[in-house]
Amino acid sequence: MDLSFFEEMEARIPKSGVRTRFAPSPTGYMHVGNLRTALYTWCIARHYGGTFILRIEDTDQARLVEGAVDIIYKTLADCGLSHDEGPDLGGPVGPYVQTERRALYAKYADLLIERGHAYRCFCEKSESAEDSGVFTKTDDPCRDLPREVSDARAAAGEPFVVRQRIPHEGVTTFHDEIFGDISTPNADLDDQVLLKRDGLPTYNFANVVDDHLMGITHVVRGTEYLSSAPKYNLLYEGFGWEIPKYVHCSPVMRDSHNKMSKRHGDPSYEDLIAQGFLTDAVVNYVALLGWSPGGEREFFNIQELAEVFTLQGLSKSPAIFDIDKLTHFNAAYIRALSPEAFAAVAEPWIRQAVKNPAVDPAAIAALLQQRTERLSEIPGKIGFFDELPPLQPELFVNKKAKSSLESSKNALLAAIPVLENLPEWSDEAILSSMKALAESLGIKPATLLWPLRIAVSGQLVTPGGAVELCRILGREESIRRLRLGIEAVS
Ligand code: GLU
């Protein structure tokens, strides 16, 4: 066998520094567990000044979703998980899309056959029988076909899969950074399919070939791959390649028994954003699902995560995704934003409910920032800016404010001319004029401001008080509403 191709491929592999990869399948959304994997993988690369690679694993043609790769790019970019090599950026070990690497896998399958660690299997079996490994090595008639027979049948165009030849005896041990050493008797490992009839590799083969050829030093992925890790080690050994560090992360759970799953309605990253969570809060919270910085501190931006991240902080036990905890993080992140930044993120949500171009969304945002836990709460709180709901007289009655229907009517009647004649429409001007009016009427400011706020908003709970609401609504609209208020309490 001419090895020059393989030697050239070896020569391309960067040999120094940490190299990690995120290897999503383009499913059309970013699962929370996948986001966490991407984050940890990125953190390892950044922490050690290494290289972070994006590889698209699209060999499962049945699962392909249009536009899904764009979602991956967008999610990584939104989250600040910048990659150094990938399909869009290129790099020394491309292509970075598995279907574009197709020819490579067949070559490496041949190499493995040559080295005695794989064989062609010509038996017709259903995909599921192949995948489940039910067809065990002991009874596969192709396992011991003489090489010339196998070569001749392949050359004659007979379809085949390539299977890994697992030794009958012995024990395979692999090391995981979180789980330590795990040993499995080889008799328990199946001769898994490496190359399918269509010439495309299975995940089980492609991940090993690609991770090696891309010079990956730390393989970070979910524990669902843990049971296959001994077979991967046998592949690395079969090729004579160095085994990378494995980091298998415990699943993110919905509750103590079930993994989070999009199919069962659990939110993906995109769903969380649509539910009004901020990307930074999601990233911070997701980082703590299965990793601990080893202290009391919980709030980290992405750069800080990269600085403090260590493999030692990763946990063996599954983490439960707690939406209330995430909401708590989100509220804290919202409060910490600058008013301008909050106005920018809140604006689309404000505009869902407030279409009137005369109303300044930044002014509404200022009222909302300290009382918003999720951006999705916003539209429901502020619809009254566009349209005054029908006024319910009972809302004008409030014991603490000493407000009754009668006091409300008097207050509104008195307030209108004062507001009409205010030289300036500002919080200070409105507030001081109303305080002065209350004093001259011999009532508490609250007795005046309560009906004002109810009249301009039509609702019991409002973001902001009467003064701010009037200022944002503008003089004309405020006075129009105060008149409607008089009608309602009369
Ligand atoms: N494509 C695999 C997945 O999305 C990646 C597993 C890995 O990172 O090795 O689950």
Side-chain angles (χ1 to χ4, degrees):
M1 189 177 204
D2 179 8
L3 295 179
S4 55
F5 171 81
F6 302 106
E7 284 157 8
E8 275 164 38
M9 292 299 289
E10 288 301 305
R12 288 169 57 182
I13 303 172
K15 295 282 180 331
S16 65
V18 164
R19 289 174 62 82
T20 64
R21 88 311 193 261
F22 177 49
S25 301
T27 54
Y29 55 87
M30 183 74 78
H31 196 283
V32 167
N34 277 351
L35 175 61
R36 188 188 60 171
T37 300
L39 178 63
Y40 292 169
T41 316
W42 179 89
C43 281
I44 294 171
R46 293 294 171 257
H47 185 83
Y48 294 103
T51 304
F52 179 54
I53 296 157
L54 174 63
R55 178 171 81 221
I56 302 295
E57 303 211 325
D58 60 346
T59 55
D60 189 350
Q61 298 285 315
R63 280 172 63 200
L64 287 194
V65 179
E66 172 112 14
V69 177
D70 294 330
I71 293 177
I72 294 169
Y73 287 132
K74 184 173 179 330
T75 308
L76 292 182
D78 285 357
C79 296
L81 304 174
S82 55
H83 54 286
D84 308 302
E85 297 172 22
D88 52 340
L89 300 177
V93 292
Y96 294 88
V97 177
Q98 282 186 332
T99 47
E100 294 171 23
R101 300 171 67 78
R102 189 185 185 116
L104 218 64
Y105 305 113
K107 289 199 170 82
Y108 279 90
D110 280 347
L111 178 61
L112 206 60
I113 293 173
E114 178 73 19
R115 293 174 68 98
H117 296 281
Y119 60 92
R120 295 188 196 90
C121 174
F122 297 92
C123 308
E124 280 293 342
K125 284 180 290 289
S126 69
E127 285 250 345
S128 62
E130 275 168 4
D131 289 347
S132 66
V134 167
F135 208 83
T136 57
K137 53 192 176 240
T138 35
D139 45 37
D140 191 325
C142 302
R143 184 175 157 106
D144 298 317
L145 273 188
R147 183 64 197 280
E148 319 77 70
V149 178
S150 169
D151 287 353
R153 285 175 70 175
E158 206 177 314
F160 60 85
V161 298
V162 176
R163 288 178 179 280
Q164 183 174 359
R165 187 194 304 276
I166 307 261
H168 290 300
E169 270 113 44
V171 170
T172 299
T173 300
F174 71 94
H175 181 77
D176 180 89
E177 296 298 311
I178 305 177
F179 291 89
D181 284 343
I182 299 184
S183 300
T184 312
N186 291 335
D188 293 350
L189 304 173
D190 66 300
D191 279 6
Q192 61 182 351
V193 173
L194 306 177
L195 207 65
K196 297 180 275 186
R197 276 190 186 73
D198 60 7
L200 280 171
T202 55
Y203 167 79
N204 293 327
F205 189 47
N207 88 84
V208 170
V209 172
D210 289 345
D211 285 341
H212 173 69
L213 292 181
M214 293 183 173
I216 302 304
T217 55
H218 298 66
V219 171
V220 184
R221 63 184 157 217
T223 43
E224 64 269 32
Y225 297 102
L226 207 51
S227 62
S228 298
K231 292 184 275 191
Y232 305 150
N233 268 18
L234 290 172
L235 286 173
Y236 282 104
E237 285 165 9
F239 280 118
W241 293 339
E242 195 184 327
I243 294 166
K245 280 193 178 7
Y246 292 124
V247 183
H248 287 96
C249 303
S250 291
V252 182
M253 309 288 284
R254 175 192 335 154
D255 51 42
S256 53
H257 295 294
N258 300 290
K259 264 184 161 191
M260 261 185 113
S261 115
K262 173 89 179 151
R263 252 184 306 140
H264 292 103
D266 294 319
S268 64
Y269 166 77
E270 291 76 17
D271 294 332
L272 292 173
I273 299 307
Q275 290 170 16
F277 292 100
L278 297 178
T279 295
D280 292 351
V282 174
V283 168
N284 189 157
Y285 175 65
V286 165
L288 301 176
L289 288 172
W291 171 78
S292 159
E296 292 294 296
R297 182 174 163 196
E298 287 188 310
F299 290 93
F300 298 91
N301 68 31
I302 187 136
Q303 306 306 333
E304 293 165 339
L305 282 173
E307 270 163 45
V308 299
F309 190 87
T310 59
L311 296 174
Q312 289 71 44
L314 289 168
S315 161
K316 274 187 203 174
S317 18
I320 295 183
F321 180 85
D322 177 351
I323 198 91
D324 294 334
K325 185 92 197 272
L326 173 58
T327 305
H328 163 76
F329 269 76
N330 206 54
Y333 268 84
I334 286 178
R335 286 195 300 271
L337 289 175
S338 70
E340 298 73 28
F342 179 71
V345 294
E347 180 161 352
W349 297 89
I350 292 172
R351 280 299 178 214
Q352 280 181 26
V354 182
K355 313 271 186 215
N356 181 354
V359 175
D360 175 14
I364 298 183
L367 302 184
L368 293 166
Q369 183 165 6
Q370 298 307 315
R371 32 194 133 203
T372 302
E373 292 194 308
R374 294 190 197 186
L375 299 173
S376 52
E377 299 156 10
I378 292 176
K381 289 181 175 172
I382 56 173
F384 68 89
F385 279 105
D386 258 17
E387 202 177 334
L388 183 64
L391 290 175
Q392 298 163 268
E394 62 273 21
L395 295 188
F396 288 89
V397 181
N398 182 273
K399 226 181 182 167
K400 209 167 147 232
K402 289 200 170 29
S403 178
S404 63
L405 290 181
E406 199 190 340
S407 76
S408 294
K409 185 173 176 182
N410 293 336
L412 295 173
L413 279 169
I416 290 174
V418 175
L419 294 173
E420 274 176 336
N421 293 310
L422 265 192
E424 178 195 301
W425 197 252
S426 65
D427 283 3
E428 302 70 41
I430 300 169
L431 183 61
S432 56
S433 71
M434 289 300 104
K435 276 190 175 158
L437 177 62
E439 207 181 318
S440 72
L441 293 173
I443 56 174
K444 295 206 308 182
T447 313
L448 178 60
L449 293 172
W450 181 273
L452 228 60
R453 189 176 63 82
I454 298 296
V456 296
S457 69
Q459 58 191 48
L460 193 58
V461 181
T462 53
V467 171
E468 294 145 312
L469 300 186
C470 286
R471 188 240 311 147
I472 294 172
L473 283 164
R475 191 193 313 250
E476 207 182 310
E477 178 63 11
S478 300
I479 288 172
R480 187 184 75 82
R481 293 185 180 198
L482 296 184
R483 292 213 171 94
L484 293 171
I486 294 172
E487 277 173 35
V489 294
S490 294

PDB file of all heavy atoms in Angstrom, residues 292-305:
ATOM      1  N   SER A 292     -18.172  23.814  38.151  1.00  0.00           N
ATOM      2  CA  SER A 292     -18.159  24.748  39.267  1.00  0.00           C
ATOM      3  C   SER A 292     -16.834  25.496  39.289  1.00  0.00           C
ATOM      4  O   SER A 292     -15.772  24.887  39.189  1.00  0.00           O
ATOM      5  CB  SER A 292     -18.358  23.983  40.574  1.00  0.00           C
ATOM      6  OG  SER A 292     -17.872  24.769  41.628  1.00  0.00           O
ATOM      7  N   PRO A 293     -16.917  26.816  39.430  1.00  0.00           N
ATOM      8  CA  PRO A 293     -15.675  27.589  39.491  1.00  0.00           C
ATOM      9  C   PRO A 293     -14.946  27.389  40.819  1.00  0.00           C
ATOM     10  O   PRO A 293     -13.834  27.885  41.000  1.00  0.00           O
ATOM     11  CB  PRO A 293     -16.156  29.034  39.325  1.00  0.00           C
ATOM     12  CG  PRO A 293     -17.596  29.025  39.721  1.00  0.00           C
ATOM     13  CD  PRO A 293     -18.122  27.647  39.455  1.00  0.00           C
ATOM     14  N   GLY A 294     -15.581  26.675  41.751  1.00  0.00           N
ATOM     15  CA  GLY A 294     -14.904  26.368  43.001  1.00  0.00           C
ATOM     16  C   GLY A 294     -14.952  27.485  44.012  1.00  0.00           C
ATOM     17  O   GLY A 294     -14.033  27.678  44.783  1.00  0.00           O
ATOM     18  N   GLY A 295     -16.001  28.269  44.034  1.00  0.00           N
ATOM     19  CA  GLY A 295     -16.148  29.325  45.034  1.00  0.00           C
ATOM     20  C   GLY A 295     -17.593  29.769  45.053  1.00  0.00           C
ATOM     21  O   GLY A 295     -18.454  29.122  44.465  1.00  0.00           O
ATOM     22  N   GLU A 296     -17.828  30.859  45.734  1.00  0.00           N
ATOM     23  CA  GLU A 296     -19.199  31.350  45.863  1.00  0.00           C
ATOM     24  C   GLU A 296     -19.651  32.098  44.612  1.00  0.00           C
ATOM     25  O   GLU A 296     -20.826  32.182  44.315  1.00  0.00           O
ATOM     26  CB  GLU A 296     -19.299  32.316  47.055  1.00  0.00           C
ATOM     27  CG  GLU A 296     -19.125  31.650  48.402  1.00  0.00           C
ATOM     28  CD  GLU A 296     -20.268  30.679  48.706  1.00  0.00           C
ATOM     29  OE1 GLU A 296     -21.413  31.134  48.830  1.00  0.00           O
ATOM     30  OE2 GLU A 296     -19.999  29.458  48.797  1.00  0.00           O
ATOM     31  N   ARG A 297     -18.671  32.653  43.904  1.00  0.00           N
ATOM     32  CA  ARG A 297     -19.017  33.536  42.806  1.00  0.00           C
ATOM     33  C   ARG A 297     -19.752  32.789  41.685  1.00  0.00           C
ATOM     34  O   ARG A 297     -19.371  31.683  41.314  1.00  0.00           O
ATOM     35  CB  ARG A 297     -17.724  34.142  42.241  1.00  0.00           C
ATOM     36  CG  ARG A 297     -17.969  35.111  41.138  1.00  0.00           C
ATOM     37  CD  ARG A 297     -16.682  35.781  40.710  1.00  0.00           C
ATOM     38  NE  ARG A 297     -16.905  36.386  39.405  1.00  0.00           N
ATOM     39  CZ  ARG A 297     -15.947  36.779  38.603  1.00  0.00           C
ATOM     40  NH1 ARG A 297     -14.683  36.644  38.969  1.00  0.00           N
ATOM     41  NH2 ARG A 297     -16.235  37.313  37.445  1.00  0.00           N
ATOM     42  N   GLU A 298     -20.816  33.426  41.169  1.00  0.00           N
ATOM     43  CA  GLU A 298     -21.606  32.783  40.127  1.00  0.00           C
ATOM     44  C   GLU A 298     -21.616  33.554  38.821  1.00  0.00           C
ATOM     45  O   GLU A 298     -21.910  32.998  37.773  1.00  0.00           O
ATOM     46  CB  GLU A 298     -23.064  32.653  40.591  1.00  0.00           C
ATOM     47  CG  GLU A 298     -23.290  31.608  41.642  1.00  0.00           C
ATOM     48  CD  GLU A 298     -24.762  31.403  41.899  1.00  0.00           C
ATOM     49  OE1 GLU A 298     -25.481  32.410  42.109  1.00  0.00           O
ATOM     50  OE2 GLU A 298     -25.205  30.247  41.872  1.00  0.00           O
ATOM     51  N   PHE A 299     -21.360  34.847  38.912  1.00  0.00           N
ATOM     52  CA  PHE A 299     -21.506  35.657  37.706  1.00  0.00           C
ATOM     53  C   PHE A 299     -20.172  35.830  36.988  1.00  0.00           C
ATOM     54  O   PHE A 299     -19.206  36.321  37.562  1.00  0.00           O
ATOM     55  CB  PHE A 299     -22.132  37.017  38.047  1.00  0.00           C
ATOM     56  CG  PHE A 299     -23.580  36.879  38.432  1.00  0.00           C
ATOM     57  CD1 PHE A 299     -23.957  36.745  39.755  1.00  0.00           C
ATOM     58  CD2 PHE A 299     -24.559  36.823  37.446  1.00  0.00           C
ATOM     59  CE1 PHE A 299     -25.291  36.568  40.103  1.00  0.00           C
ATOM     60  CE2 PHE A 299     -25.895  36.646  37.782  1.00  0.00           C
ATOM     61  CZ  PHE A 299     -26.259  36.518  39.115  1.00  0.00           C
ATOM     62  N   PHE A 300     -20.167  35.382  35.740  1.00  0.00           N
ATOM     63  CA  PHE A 300     -18.957  35.453  34.921  1.00  0.00           C
ATOM     64  C   PHE A 300     -19.350  35.826  33.506  1.00  0.00           C
ATOM     65  O   PHE A 300     -20.278  35.222  32.954  1.00  0.00           O
ATOM     66  CB  PHE A 300     -18.273  34.081  34.835  1.00  0.00           C
ATOM     67  CG  PHE A 300     -17.805  33.537  36.148  1.00  0.00           C
ATOM     68  CD1 PHE A 300     -18.637  32.729  36.909  1.00  0.00           C
ATOM     69  CD2 PHE A 300     -16.528  33.815  36.619  1.00  0.00           C
ATOM     70  CE1 PHE A 300     -18.216  32.214  38.119  1.00  0.00           C
ATOM     71  CE2 PHE A 300     -16.093  33.298  37.822  1.00  0.00           C
ATOM     72  CZ  PHE A 300     -16.942  32.496  38.584  1.00  0.00           C
ATOM     73  N   ASN A 301     -18.653  36.777  32.933  1.00  0.00           N
ATOM     74  CA  ASN A 301     -18.853  36.961  31.497  1.00  0.00           C
ATOM     75  C   ASN A 301     -17.961  35.946  30.777  1.00  0.00           C
ATOM     76  O   ASN A 301     -17.187  35.215  31.401  1.00  0.00           O
ATOM     77  CB  ASN A 301     -18.601  38.412  31.065  1.00  0.00           C
ATOM     78  CG  ASN A 301     -17.141  38.810  31.194  1.00  0.00           C
ATOM     79  OD1 ASN A 301     -16.247  37.972  31.052  1.00  0.00           O
ATOM     80  ND2 ASN A 301     -16.900  40.078  31.451  1.00  0.00           N
ATOM     81  N   ILE A 302     -18.094  35.931  29.483  1.00  0.00           N
ATOM     82  CA  ILE A 302     -17.456  34.843  28.748  1.00  0.00           C
ATOM     83  C   ILE A 302     -15.920  34.892  28.835  1.00  0.00           C
ATOM     84  O   ILE A 302     -15.266  33.852  28.936  1.00  0.00           O
ATOM     85  CB  ILE A 302     -17.993  34.821  27.310  1.00  0.00           C
ATOM     86  CG1 ILE A 302     -17.478  33.607  26.558  1.00  0.00           C
ATOM     87  CG2 ILE A 302     -17.697  36.061  26.537  1.00  0.00           C
ATOM     88  CD1 ILE A 302     -18.549  32.960  25.777  1.00  0.00           C
ATOM     89  N   GLN A 303     -15.366  36.099  28.858  1.00  0.00           N
ATOM     90  CA  GLN A 303     -13.906  36.199  28.986  1.00  0.00           C
ATOM     91  C   GLN A 303     -13.461  35.682  30.351  1.00  0.00           C
ATOM     92  O   GLN A 303     -12.449  34.991  30.475  1.00  0.00           O
ATOM     93  CB  GLN A 303     -13.430  37.658  28.819  1.00  0.00           C
ATOM     94  CG  GLN A 303     -13.875  38.338  27.548  1.00  0.00           C
ATOM     95  CD  GLN A 303     -13.514  37.554  26.279  1.00  0.00           C
ATOM     96  OE1 GLN A 303     -12.554  36.792  26.268  1.00  0.00           O
ATOM     97  NE2 GLN A 303     -14.298  37.717  25.232  1.00  0.00           N
ATOM     98  N   GLU A 304     -14.243  36.030  31.369  1.00  0.00           N
ATOM     99  CA  GLU A 304     -13.901  35.570  32.722  1.00  0.00           C
ATOM    100  C   GLU A 304     -14.023  34.055  32.821  1.00  0.00           C
ATOM    101  O   GLU A 304     -13.217  33.396  33.491  1.00  0.00           O
ATOM    102  CB  GLU A 304     -14.810  36.249  33.746  1.00  0.00           C
ATOM    103  CG  GLU A 304     -14.554  37.740  33.842  1.00  0.00           C
ATOM    104  CD  GLU A 304     -15.667  38.515  34.561  1.00  0.00           C
ATOM    105  OE1 GLU A 304     -16.817  38.021  34.655  1.00  0.00           O
ATOM    106  OE2 GLU A 304     -15.381  39.629  35.007  1.00  0.00           O
ATOM    107  N   LEU A 305     -15.021  33.505  32.121  1.00  0.00           N
ATOM    108  CA  LEU A 305     -15.161  32.044  32.126  1.00  0.00           C
ATOM    109  C   LEU A 305     -13.907  31.399  31.541  1.00  0.00           C
ATOM    110  O   LEU A 305     -13.388  30.424  32.090  1.00  0.00           O
ATOM    111  CB  LEU A 305     -16.381  31.620  31.303  1.00  0.00           C
ATOM    112  CG  LEU A 305     -17.746  31.788  31.967  1.00  0.00           C
ATOM    113  CD1 LEU A 305     -18.861  31.486  30.968  1.00  0.00           C
ATOM    114  CD2 LEU A 305     -17.871  30.887  33.192  1.00  0.00           C
TER     115      LEU A 305
END
